[in-house]
Amino acid sequence: MISLRSVNKHFGPLHVLRDVNLEVGRGQVVVILGPSGSGKSTLCRTINRLEVKDSGTISVDGRRLPDEGKALTRYRADVGMVFQSFNLFAHKTIIENVMLAPQKVRKLPKAVARAKGMELLDRVGIANQADKLPAQLSGGQQQRVAIARALAMEPKVMLFDEPTSALDPEMVTEVLEVMTSLAKGGMTMLVVTHEMGFARRAADRVVFMADGQILEDTTPEEFFSTPSTARARDFLGKILSH
């Protein structure tokens, strides 16, 4: 469903993605782990061209990533993305935030977009907040709105770029629960996160990155019990000792 072949990316002299190859099958949940600066977020952002790769090929569901224009808009409609920051429109209500893209991009009639939006808000557990503004919600609730908004486009894949790192600890659980239910529902997901519990529980595969390269690509069980590289062992030692 997601395919990266020999993808390279530089920021000036910094080589942040080094010949990255990655395949994510339909319905798979792949969690990307690694130290800060390893290229995890950049990898995630190249898939829908928020960062432009220097070389290599990227495709989603067999369609190559277009360079720009309407083809890119159509491609992006199939790739839902949830960020660290919620990026909600502050002056629009929760339901209006969720309805906006389906009306503009998918050309859904307002009533249809609203009904579907309410269904999704119900699915993420905040239908009762539909007419509030983002500022009236907690961070965890806003992130659940961001997930509902991405799902409203009926994407083929969902990308999560550290979706819980800006949240207070008690809000992290509610967002991870929504993500876990999505995973169980068969959504193809690529998740950059520091949440080891989510990686163990919900991932089909764990991909470990360091210095712009994929060093391990294995099952959660294998990765957490017998990592094959010294770099991964060092990373886990630091993370799990806290």
Side-chain angles (χ1 to χ4, degrees):
M1 187 54 102
I2 303 172
S3 175
L4 288 84
R5 304 256 169 94
S6 304
V7 172
N8 283 276
K9 170 71 181 171
H10 293 77
F11 289 123
L14 206 61
H15 197 173
V16 287
L17 294 178
R18 300 168 179 263
D19 272 327
V20 171
N21 293 291
L22 180 66
E23 303 283 329
V24 180
R26 189 181 301 273
Q28 271 199 331
V29 178
V30 174
V31 168
I32 303 182
L33 302 176
S36 292
S38 56
K40 308 182 301 290
S41 287
T42 302
L43 173 71
C44 203
R45 292 166 68 87
T46 56
I47 294 171
N48 70 349
R49 211 170 176 275
L50 289 171
E51 300 289 357
V52 181
K53 62 182 169 51
D54 297 331
S55 62
T57 62
I58 297 174
S59 59
V60 168
D61 198 20
R63 280 171 60 198
R64 287 276 287 272
L65 171 60
D67 284 338
E68 54 196 26
K70 285 184 177 173
L72 181 60
T73 304
R74 283 195 299 273
Y75 171 97
R76 278 186 174 149
D78 287 338
V79 183
M81 183 132 188
V82 178
F83 302 88
Q84 210 173 331
S85 53
F86 325 122
N87 299 324
L88 300 175
F89 291 109
H91 63 290
K92 290 187 178 293
T93 64
I94 297 313
I95 186 64
E96 285 169 346
N97 266 280
V98 175
M99 289 165 61
L100 189 65
Q103 285 182 270
K104 296 269 187 209
V105 181
R106 300 281 195 207
K107 307 297 182 198
L108 284 190
K110 187 176 180 180
V112 176
R114 186 179 174 88
K116 191 171 155 192
M118 287 303 295
E119 242 174 71
L120 288 168
L121 288 178
D122 186 48
R123 186 170 164 191
V124 299
I126 43 172
N128 59 337
Q129 312 286 344
D131 296 315
K132 289 185 178 176
L133 292 170
Q136 295 173 282
L137 272 58
S138 72
Q141 288 172 323
Q142 289 188 58
Q143 192 60 296
R144 286 190 277 163
V145 175
I147 293 172
R149 181 181 58 180
L151 291 173
M153 292 296 285
E154 297 185 349
K156 292 177 177 175
V157 305
M158 285 281 282
L159 310 176
F160 293 87
D161 186 10
E162 306 215 2
T164 58
S165 59
L167 299 175
D168 292 336
E170 70 269 22
M171 294 175 189
V172 169
T173 306
E174 62 185 68
V175 173
L176 291 177
E177 279 172 1
V178 171
M179 291 169 61
T180 303
S181 75
L182 274 183
K184 286 178 180 164
M187 174 61 78
T188 306
M189 292 164 60
L190 188 67
V191 184
V192 174
T193 186
H194 291 292
E195 297 295 334
M196 299 297 140
F198 177 80
R200 283 177 188 267
R201 194 173 60 248
D204 296 304
R205 280 161 53 208
V206 168
V207 168
F208 176 75
M209 288 186 75
D211 304 318
Q213 294 174 296
I214 291 176
L215 298 186
E216 306 208 17
D217 183 347
T218 184
T219 64
E221 196 177 318
E222 286 272 315
F223 180 74
F224 287 106
S225 61
T226 51
S228 60
T229 60
R231 197 70 199 272
R233 286 193 291 275
D234 179 54
F235 171 79
L236 283 172
K238 286 174 180 164
I239 291 270
L240 300 176
S241 63
H242 285 302

